[in-house]
Amino acid sequence: MPENNPTESDNSGRDAPGIMRRGGFYNRHSLPQHEAASYAEPLLRQAAEAVAAPPGGQPIVIADYGAAQGRNSLDPMRRAIGIIRRSVPDTVPISVVHTDIPADDFSALFTLIENSPDSYLREVANVFPFAAGRTFYKRIFPAASVSLGWSAIAVHWLSAAPAIIEGHVWSPRADPATLASFARRSARDWRDFLAHRAAELRPGARLVVIGGASDEAGDSAANGLMDMANAALRELVAAGCLGADEYRRMVIPTYNRTPAEFAAPFADGTASGLRLLHGQLDVLADPILARYQETGDLDAFAASCVGFFEAAFEPSLFSALAPGRSPDRRRSLETEFRDGLRARIAADPQAAGCNWRVYSMLIAKDA
Ligand SMILES: C[S@@+](CC[C@H](N)C(=O)[O-])C[C@H]1O[C@@H](n2cnc3c(N)ncnc32)[C@H](O)[C@@H]1O
């Protein structure tokens, strides 16, 4: 697997590993991620309460690291601003900077922020939305300029997949040596993420991170759905529709850290002036499965699962298709893949359910 991941450099608007499905599709198909953010609400409240007005009339900067198309950022940003405004008058400007990789659909994000009735721009004065199209594995902000950081369900996306996963696309299904290479990349990325945030945060500022996680045994509870996706891809290879070389390149470049892996840089002193004030592992009740259990509507369940998968993972996988494929052939291949995935989900809905693990952290920069 190449080490030069388009996640780091691609600004062409094409699909890149790590990118969410464009055109607002992710916004419409990200219910589990939306639910995940609620687990960190008490931590966000504490973090916002710690924000003070910077000296010299400078704006308060809130950073939203890995924002995607913004749907799941509106609520936390609105809450944080509301809490800050209790103690900081609206003569002090607040800048909200949504960051993501260059290929992100920032257009969908700003359209939502302008038009949504849930936007944090409603009912507040002197609040300004911005974007930064830069990987969070690099420095994004000037030194000591961020008053509050937020990152939800984003840091499990690695800077690059360190290896091909033989016979699968999902790192927990890799052989031990390959899995170890993902773990090493993940450890390096997490340290890099923290080092850059340590430089950007104001002294005493807070950072809330909700990480896509696994339990201490390494289980992220998504193996059932990922096995179905992998089987659907292999079926396309067997039918001669998808090249064996294209399938081999297909990797979801994520690693869901255990709580110990998240905590390691704080414990061993490599977190550069950051302290982990609180860390908590939660098991997400699958909202898609819960709806199916209420309604019994299997078709709607399978469609929602496929939509969730398409929004979050399909662009990464299909970025591995041979560049010579026509757009029509790409589209029909994606449709065939979704049909195969949908059929498998409908055949075994319980196995497709994902009780994702999330690890919520409240992190402080030393004052
Ligand atoms: C599952 S989405 C989560 C988006 C949003 N925070 C939410 O809660 O719905 C993950 C986001 O992380 C972004 N991402 C992946 N790798 C990144 C990186 N290296 N730097 C910044 N963002 C990244 C993806 O582009 C995507 O928008």
Side-chain angles (χ1 to χ4, degrees), residues 7-8 18-20 26 30 33 64-68 72-73 99-101 104 134-137 152-154 156-159 312:
T7 295
E8 300 287 348
I19 197 72
M20 304 293 110
Y26 175 80
S30 54
Q33 295 92 332
D64 174 22
Y65 296 102
N72 297 330
S73 299
T99 85
D100 212 292
I101 54 177
D104 182 55
R134 189 155 220 242
T135 173
F136 48 45
Y137 297 122
I153 314 298
H156 59 301
W157 289 93
L158 300 177
S159 57

Side-chain angles (χ1 to χ4, degrees), residues 172-236:
R173 289 303 202 208
D175 63 76
T178 305
L179 182 59
S181 74
F182 274 78
R184 279 194 302 278
R185 172 62 67 120
S186 158
R188 196 188 83 187
D189 282 350
W190 181 228
R191 283 186 164 77
D192 286 349
F193 179 92
L194 291 173
H196 292 307
R197 304 303 77 83
E200 295 168 358
L201 289 170
R202 288 183 172 281
R206 301 287 191 271
L207 169 67
V208 178
V209 178
I210 315 164
S214 58
D215 59 24
E216 289 298 0
D219 185 8
S220 65
N223 290 348
L225 180 64
M226 294 302 175
D227 287 348
M228 290 178 188
N230 190 50
L233 291 169
R234 291 175 72 103
E235 188 176 57
L236 292 176

Side-chain angles (χ1 to χ4, degrees), residues 50 139 142-149 194-208 266 271-277 362-367:
R139 265 288 288 284
S145 63
V146 174
S147 292
L148 173 60
L194 291 173
H196 292 307
R197 304 303 77 83
E200 295 168 358
L201 289 170
R202 288 183 172 281
R206 301 287 191 271
L207 169 67
V208 178
F266 304 98
S272 352
L274 298 179
R275 277 175 301 128
L276 180 61
L277 301 182
L362 178 61
I363 296 165
K365 167 93 177 271
D366 288 341

Side-chain angles (χ1 to χ4, degrees), residues 155-156 186 190 194 209-214 216 255-267 271 276 279 281 357-361 363:
V155 296
H156 59 301
S186 158
W190 181 228
L194 291 173
V209 178
I210 315 164
S214 58
E216 289 298 0
Y255 181 87
N256 287 44
R257 299 176 184 91
T258 64
E261 287 169 327
F262 273 118
F266 304 98
L276 180 61
L281 183 71
R357 274 56 169 160
V358 290
Y359 193 64
S360 302
M361 287 159 276
I363 296 165

